[in-house]
Amino acid sequence: MIYRESGDFSTTYQQDSQTFPIRFDRYRYYVLLVLAFAVVPFIINDYWVNAVFLPFLIYSIAAIGLNILTGYCGQVSLGTGAFMAVGAYACYKLMTAFPDINIFFHIIISGGITAGVCVLFGLPSLRIKGFYLAVATLAAQFFLVWMFNKVSWFYNYSASGQINAPERTVFGVPVTGAQTEPWAAYLFCLVFTVACAIIARNMTRGMQGRQWMAIRDMDIAAEIIGVNPLKAKLSAFAVSGFFVGLAGALFFAVYLGAVEVGEVFGITKSFLVLFMIIIGGLGSIFGCFAGAAFLVLLPVLLKNVLVGGLGWPTDLAAHLEFMIVGALIVVFLILEPHGLAQLWRVAKEKLRLWPFPH
């Protein structure tokens, strides 16, 4: 009665292969898009944009990128923070070197540059995997952060070593800089997030996604049936790097506006995005959004309830946040390895059979 498929059938192959083949899912998706684009910009304020919506949208893109690499292709990466830094610094250099080009293209090109760097550091995946590949990407994390700190060309020889986003506009509306309105920054990031989600969803459901999952499940068997490990692994690194680079560019240009690489894109950032896909669910695009929402909303909730409501010290609330996240990761890895996405799938199945859930 609440969630049914009866009477909902496909008459063409195109209808059967669409992203949301069930009519109820499609309508829910359309309603969500209408609310996100036509309602939320008119009711949000600066606090909600900077504390919730912008981090959620940007981290969702980064989580999609890492989930494609780790969740779908099985290649463990601990260098997400450094690859976000590549996107941020590439965007900064493009914005300062080509001020007449629209920032929309700067961010896309930054994603392409990050994809190339990610492929370069993904070459060891052709020989090593698992823990050893994680160590190799961790080396990339430290090397890239060190390079951005030491090579002054990347921050245009600034005495502070910090990069600052110049003001840029889209259709005459500022989206970076001090004059940016909250709704403009939100809509700018929302466009990228929706586009990345649609692209990732279709890629993972197509031939490319099946090749990634074959490599993840058993790379030797995948090679025997005709999957090219070189192409599959490097394409996963490239696509993952592109999304992570977009997230890094948006994080710098639209969200923060000023960045110092060691403080913003350190190893903590890599683990944060990794925790998002573990809690949200490996191998699930929805899980990327669920994990990002959880880890963005949890600090805000604890700060408002514990610090603002109960008067707890800020450092105590921050330590409690680490304890909760750590405990949840252990619980999910043991009891539900597929994370919040699997819980959502189980809930949908029960709704389909309601009032006779099994």
Side-chain angles (χ1 to χ4, degrees), residues 4 27 45 53 86 102 104 125 130 132 154 158 160 164-165 187 222 228 239 247-248 267 272 285 297 340 352 356:
R4 286 289 187 268
Y27 291 161
N45 55 26
F53 285 103
V86 173
N102 194 289
F104 183 84
S125 68
Y132 300 100
F154 287 109
S158 169
S160 63
N164 297 278
L187 283 178
N228 187 340
V239 175
I267 187 64
L272 178 62
I285 300 301
L297 289 173
L340 295 172
R352 287 177 62 228
F356 307 107

Side-chain angles (χ1 to χ4, degrees), residues 28 67 72 201 276-292 294 332 336-349:
R28 184 181 59 194
N67 215 343
Y72 284 96
R201 170 80 174 175
M276 288 178 182
I277 66 171
I278 291 175
I279 293 177
L282 292 171
S284 168
I285 300 301
F286 171 77
C288 301
F289 289 94
F294 184 86
F332 274 112
E336 188 50 81
H338 295 290
L340 295 172
Q342 179 62 20
L343 298 179
W344 174 246
R345 282 192 289 265
V346 170
K348 286 174 61 177
E349 288 299 317

Side-chain angles (χ1 to χ4, degrees), residues 314-345:
T314 306
D315 56 346
L316 182 59
H319 293 157
L320 182 61
E321 175 194 343
F322 291 137
M323 293 171 61
I324 293 174
V325 172
L328 284 173
I329 290 172
V330 174
V331 169
F332 274 112
L333 288 176
I334 295 174
L335 300 179
E336 188 50 81
H338 295 290
L340 295 172
Q342 179 62 20
L343 298 179
W344 174 246
R345 282 192 289 265

